[in-house]
Amino acid sequence: MEFKSKIKTIEWIDNYSRMVDQTVVPYEYKFVNITTGADMFHAIRDMIVRGAPAIGVAGAHGIVLFAQEGAEKFSNRDEFINWLLDKAEYMKTSRPTAVNLMWAVNKQIDIIKNSKSDISGIVEELKSNAIKLEDEDIEINKKIGDFGAEVVPKGATILTHCNAGALATVGYGTALGVVRSAFAKDNTIKVFADETRPRQQGARITTFELAMDGIPVTLITDGMCSYFMKKGMIDMVVVGADRIAANGDTANKIGTYTVAIAAKYHNIPFYIAAPLSTIDTSIKTGDEIPIEERSHEEVTHINGKRICAEGVNIINPGFDVTPHELIAGIITEKGILRPDYNESIAEAFNTHKP
Ligand code: MRU
């Protein structure tokens, strides 16, 4: 089955990066061209591009943009390399939680450090690698989708939180990749999408993507999930991930942990769908995952309008960590990893280093 949404969230074109502006979806569906490394930093930080795999590719594009600028600025190869390595470290600080950003920029850093080419050759190698990461992301998501579809019961209603779809990746999606692959086999499946305050990625982006593909979707607010679970209206939960520790603890959009607890209470399987590049084996548990703190205005305002009294205290973590014991499986491009995650993750990395 072919889906209508041939979304390519981010793409390298000639000498710049083109991306869907996700701050305005679904009111507008428009592309922006990012032509400098500094603009890419801001596009990631301000969430013009968002979603762990998509910001990984954006980071890789950002290094190509900086490399192009450096090639104009320097004729000395060592000076070019030192300057570019500094810019790469800076790019990694644009958002702290999704490890795909660090993973993809580190791939570019390896090229910068190990290349034997001259300055223009290094720029070309970085560009080829960025394009390769784009292509691989879609292939990986299709594999994740197909593995995940095997555990979707016939006619299931799947709850998801935030947006782990085509727009959070280069295309197809991780959690929504599972939905797409399952729907291709069984068009009676349905989705419940959590609104996902404060940025409303569920309401704005997940419903937009699914509606475009004709996949039935019901939008609910974040606090409603346990109500529908109790009524027996949710068969499984599938969400994406921003960083997974070696023991399976998983950071994802704030509110995910609440959904996982509710799913456990109601005996509903809770799955993570993510590429192996989202797994950070350098950290043992979720306690070590840095959680992004975002602007207070995301909480105090909706669409530019204040929704609370002036002077109210605000705290706005962008992500939470779901403990591994609440997770039924981690759906990856290498199959579904099951507990004990320390073992299954180590085994997946033994056979395939992302
Ligand atoms: O703040 P965002 O919108 O970048 O957060 C996105 C999420 O939490 C996604 O669920 C996660 O990145 C997985 S995307 C395939």
Side-chain angles (χ1 to χ4, degrees):
M1 163 164 189
E2 274 297 304
F3 291 103
K4 284 183 223 98
S5 65
K6 294 273 186 309
I7 294 171
K8 197 150 187 211
T9 304
I10 176 162
E11 188 168 14
W12 185 263
I13 317 252
D14 301 328
N15 58 356
Y16 63 90
S17 175
R18 189 185 77 162
M19 61 177 66
V20 176
D21 180 353
Q22 300 197 42
T23 60
V24 294
V25 174
Y27 326 110
E28 270 183 81
Y29 187 70
K30 67 170 192 194
F31 291 91
V32 286
N33 297 337
I34 305 293
T35 56
T36 69
D39 283 351
M40 184 60 87
F41 181 95
H42 294 298
I44 296 171
R45 194 195 55 189
D46 301 341
M47 294 173 68
I48 292 169
V49 60
R50 48 146 298 278
I55 65 172
V57 171
H61 283 190
I63 305 311
V64 187
L65 292 169
F66 272 131
Q68 290 178 164
E69 292 163 43
E72 298 278 313
K73 214 173 152 81
F74 298 98
S75 51
N76 179 291
R77 188 179 182 278
D78 287 344
E79 284 176 19
F80 167 78
I81 286 180
N82 289 335
W83 179 85
L84 192 53
L85 289 173
D86 273 356
K87 296 294 179 194
E89 291 307 321
Y90 165 72
M91 188 62 75
K92 286 196 264 180
T93 63
S94 51
R95 287 193 81 186
T97 303
V99 77
N100 305 65
L101 173 63
M102 295 63 181
W103 172 84
V105 173
N106 283 338
K107 294 244 172 230
Q108 297 290 56
I109 289 177
D110 285 346
I111 291 175
I112 301 166
K113 286 186 172 163
N114 297 320
S115 174
K116 302 274 175 278
S117 308
D118 61 8
I119 292 179
S120 64
I122 295 174
V123 175
E124 285 312 308
E125 285 172 34
L126 292 169
K127 198 187 291 185
S128 309
N129 189 50
I131 294 168
K132 180 169 151 259
L133 292 178
E134 268 174 40
D135 296 341
E136 283 175 357
D137 183 66
I138 298 181
E139 282 165 35
I140 287 169
N141 293 336
K142 289 197 169 145
K143 286 185 188 152
I144 291 172
D146 292 349
F147 280 120
E150 287 169 21
V151 291
V152 176
K154 180 141 187 43
T157 299
I158 303 171
L159 176 76
T160 193
H161 188 78
C162 193
N163 172 264
L167 283 162
T169 59
V170 178
Y172 204 69
T174 56
L176 294 192
V178 173
V179 167
R180 288 193 162 93
S181 292
F183 189 79
K185 296 202 301 192
D186 169 15
N187 67 6
T188 67
I189 68 151
K190 297 184 269 324
V191 174
F192 268 45
D194 276 350
E195 174 192 12
T196 319
R197 273 286 286 150
R199 299 278 299 214
Q200 297 161 308
Q201 291 94 327
R204 294 191 301 107
I205 305 174
T206 294
T207 62
F208 170 79
E209 271 193 35
L210 293 177
M212 208 196 287
D213 271 344
I215 300 174
V217 56
T218 301
L219 174 63
I220 62 174
T221 64
D222 295 345
M224 292 178 186
C225 75
S226 39
Y227 173 83
F228 290 111
M229 286 177 180
K230 185 164 188 216
K231 279 182 167 288
M233 290 169 67
I234 307 292
D235 300 296
M236 71 187 292
V237 180
V238 187
V239 297
D242 288 84
R243 194 185 295 225
I244 301 170
N247 71 345
D249 292 350
T250 296
N252 190 49
K253 182 51 55 194
I254 192 78
T256 303
Y257 180 24
T258 311
V259 177
I261 294 169
K264 187 75 167 181
Y265 184 79
H266 294 97
N267 239 338
I268 294 166
F270 175 95
Y271 285 94
I272 299 292
L276 291 179
S277 53
T278 305
I279 301 177
D280 183 353
T281 52
S282 75
I283 57 170
K284 289 197 180 75
T285 78
D287 292 343
E288 295 168 66
I289 300 176
I291 300 295
E292 180 179 22
E293 179 68 29
R294 293 196 60 88
S295 98
H296 292 179
E297 211 179 297
E298 290 184 350
V299 178
T300 55
H301 287 69
I302 293 182
N303 289 342
K305 234 187 155 152
R306 176 170 272 278
I307 57 157
C308 61
E310 296 277 355
V312 171
N313 289 332
I314 302 294
I315 182 162
N316 183 22
F319 301 90
D320 57 27
V321 176
T322 298
H324 60 90
E325 58 269 24
L326 302 182
I327 300 169
I330 302 173
I331 307 165
T332 74
E333 69 272 31
K334 290 287 155 194
I336 303 181
L337 310 183
R338 301 281 186 181
D340 174 308
Y341 292 114
N342 274 311
E343 285 172 17
S344 55
I345 287 174
E347 203 181 306
F349 272 65
N350 271 341
T351 53
H352 178 86
K353 182 123 183 38

